[in-house]
Amino acid sequence: QVQLVESGGGLVQPGGSLRLSCAASSRLYTMGWYRQAPGKQRELVARITSTSSTNYADSVKGRFTISRDNNRKTVYLQMSSLKPEDTGVYYCNMELGTYVYWGQGTQVTVSS
């Protein structure tokens, strides 16, 4: 059973930055960051493959950067120029064949 633990969320003012971390209990595979705002469906924010190929939601391109440290078994999401609409619970996931594992989520609130 893979365990994913997110950290780094919090309250930040519009225009600010945060870095989220996701520590895995196993080696990393394809990793993703998703978010869910109140009353909305969970959506993909960013994804990084084992070869470090990345893709981003249009709404975060140019502001967010996903990266991975295989030695530390950790994936990161650097978020800059944050907007109120970035508010939500951010979840890390791991795609391992037909299995998808999820972390418990970390709250990000962008507000003045």
Side-chain angles (χ1 to χ4, degrees):
Q1 182 76 10
V2 174
Q3 292 186 333
L4 303 172
V5 179
E6 300 99 333
S7 61
L11 173 64
V12 63
Q13 291 187 344
S17 299
L18 278 177
R19 188 176 83 154
L20 305 183
S21 300
C22 172
S25 61
S26 75
R27 59 159 289 190
L28 301 183
Y29 293 87
T30 294
M31 307 295 295
W33 283 99
Y34 289 70
R35 68 186 178 192
Q36 187 165 19
K40 295 188 176 182
Q41 289 189 332
R42 193 173 298 187
E43 62 175 359
L44 173 68
V45 175
R47 186 172 175 268
I48 185 167
T49 68
S50 296
T51 58
S52 294
S53 176
T54 59
N55 61 285
Y56 296 89
D58 288 342
S59 60
V60 307
K61 283 180 181 177
R63 300 188 298 122
F64 290 12
T65 302
I66 189 171
S67 61
R68 59 194 289 150
D69 186 331
N70 293 327
N71 291 329
R72 295 181 183 271
K73 296 186 288 187
T74 301
V75 64
Y76 304 97
L77 185 68
Q78 178 67 48
M79 306 186 293
S80 303
S81 302
L82 282 160
K83 305 175 181 179
E85 50 264 43
D86 294 318
T87 294
V89 179
Y90 282 68
Y91 297 92
C92 171
N93 88 345
M94 176 186 288
E95 300 172 26
L96 181 55
T98 58
Y99 294 95
V100 180
Y101 298 95
W102 293 91
Q104 82 290 349
T106 185
Q107 176 70 44
V108 172
T109 303
V110 184
S111 175
S112 54

